[in-house]
Amino acid sequence: DVKVTQSSRYLVKRTGEKVFLECVQDMDHENMFWYRQDPGLGLRLIYFSYDVKMKEKGDIPEGYSVSREKKERFSLILESASTNQTSMYLCASRYLGASNQPQHFGDGTRLSIL
Amino acid sequence: AQSVTQLGSHVSVSEGALVLLRCNYSSSVPPYLFWYVQYPNQGLQLLLKYTTGATLVKGINGFEAEFKKSETSFHLTKPSAHMSDAAEYFCAVIDSGGGADGLTFGKGTHLIIQP
């Protein structure tokens, strides 16, 4: 089974802090994603990556950056956290070689910015 | 570009009743379709998927979905609801041509089970 592990289930940070959310997958997937999930808005794609050191903006990249230095790890960075970034953050990975493959999700990080 | 519409942000059914969650999609090429379930404070778990072949697909926990090309639909059903089915359900689509930006998700339907 694919395992996607997010480093924290719950995180509390202060406004203006630099925040790192880490995600690791164990299936050698090329494709990795970061979403945020808010009530009534569903999943919104922040950034995705299709290879090491490659990254692409999703629908809501403002205020975020990402890093993919190793294939198995995809990090989301909040450069200067703000209260409107309080949310549930979900990481996912996917095998890119066949388009019929699903995305596999981690358990999420519930981030609160005070 | 593809899109997904889930009709009803909240659906309430009685325990033992039929569950029907609606999903309509738009796609310019043949799609691959997925249903995910999310239990409280957890990530999304794959319920079932349609890629090619039989249009009625069976998934985990007694759920199934039918791909109807003429109606551009992929509705999720379960004959008899159980209290443990209470969760958020997401329909998702990807063009068969694929794409590194992954699946397009609907906004989700919150399933409530009444005792």
Side-chain angles (χ1 to χ4, degrees), chain A residues 43-104:
Chain A
L43 295 169
R44 292 183 290 168
L45 182 62
I46 305 171
Y47 268 95
F48 65 97
S49 169
Y50 54 88
D51 202 351
V52 175
K53 296 192 185 296
M54 305 305 290
K55 58 187 179 184
E56 295 287 341
K57 293 179 180 179
D59 300 318
I60 53 163
E62 296 77 20
Y64 302 94
S65 63
V66 290
S67 172
R68 186 124 182 244
E69 296 297 318
K70 294 184 178 182
K71 191 174 185 179
E72 67 270 19
R73 186 179 297 270
F74 193 36
S75 303
L76 180 69
I77 304 156
L78 285 65
E79 297 291 344
S80 177
S82 64
T83 54
N84 63 11
Q85 292 179 308
T86 291
S87 187
M88 174 73 140
Y89 289 88
L90 291 166
C91 175
S93 74
R94 177 172 167 265
Y95 173 58
L96 193 54
S99 53
N100 63 356
Q101 294 300 300
Q103 289 174 206
H104 301 269

Side-chain angles (χ1 to χ4, degrees), chain A residues 9 31 37 48 94 99 103 106, chain B residues 36 38 41 43 96 98 100 103:
Chain A
R9 292 298 304 276
N31 221 173
Q37 183 180 18
F48 65 97
R94 177 172 167 265
S99 53
Q103 289 174 206
Chain B
Y36 285 82
Q38 184 183 33
N41 292 315
S96 54
L103 280 62

Side-chain angles (χ1 to χ4, degrees), chain A residues 97-113:
Chain A
S99 53
N100 63 356
Q101 294 300 300
Q103 289 174 206
H104 301 269
F105 285 82
D107 283 336
T109 296
R110 191 165 291 282
L111 175 64
S112 296
I113 307 297

Side-chain angles (χ1 to χ4, degrees), chain B:
Chain B
Q2 59 268 42
S3 66
V4 177
T5 302
Q6 291 184 239
L7 193 62
S9 59
H10 291 77
V11 170
S12 180
V13 302
S14 299
E15 191 174 16
L18 171 72
V19 175
L20 170 61
L21 303 183
R22 299 179 187 274
C23 172
N24 288 89
Y25 69 90
S26 70
S27 177
S28 56
V29 298
Y32 297 138
L33 295 154
F34 306 81
W35 274 101
Y36 285 82
V37 61
Q38 184 183 33
Y39 299 104
N41 292 315
Q42 293 187 22
L44 278 66
Q45 178 184 357
L46 184 67
L47 263 181
L48 50 79
K49 68 177 183 179
Y50 167 78
T51 54
T52 57
T55 56
L56 181 64
V57 292
K58 296 185 184 300
I60 60 172
N61 302 338
F63 283 92
E64 61 184 34
E66 187 171 12
F67 170 59
K68 291 187 177 181
K69 184 178 177 181
S70 60
E71 298 177 9
T72 61
S73 68
F74 191 56
H75 301 330
L76 182 70
T77 60
K78 182 174 180 177
S80 177
H82 191 271
M83 295 300 291
S84 61
D85 295 327
E88 190 91 17
Y89 291 80
F90 292 91
C91 182
V93 65
I94 189 170
D95 286 345
S96 54
D101 56 345
L103 280 62
T104 298
F105 288 86
K107 292 195 183 306
T109 297
H110 187 187
L111 178 62
I112 301 161
I113 310 296
Q114 305 279 5

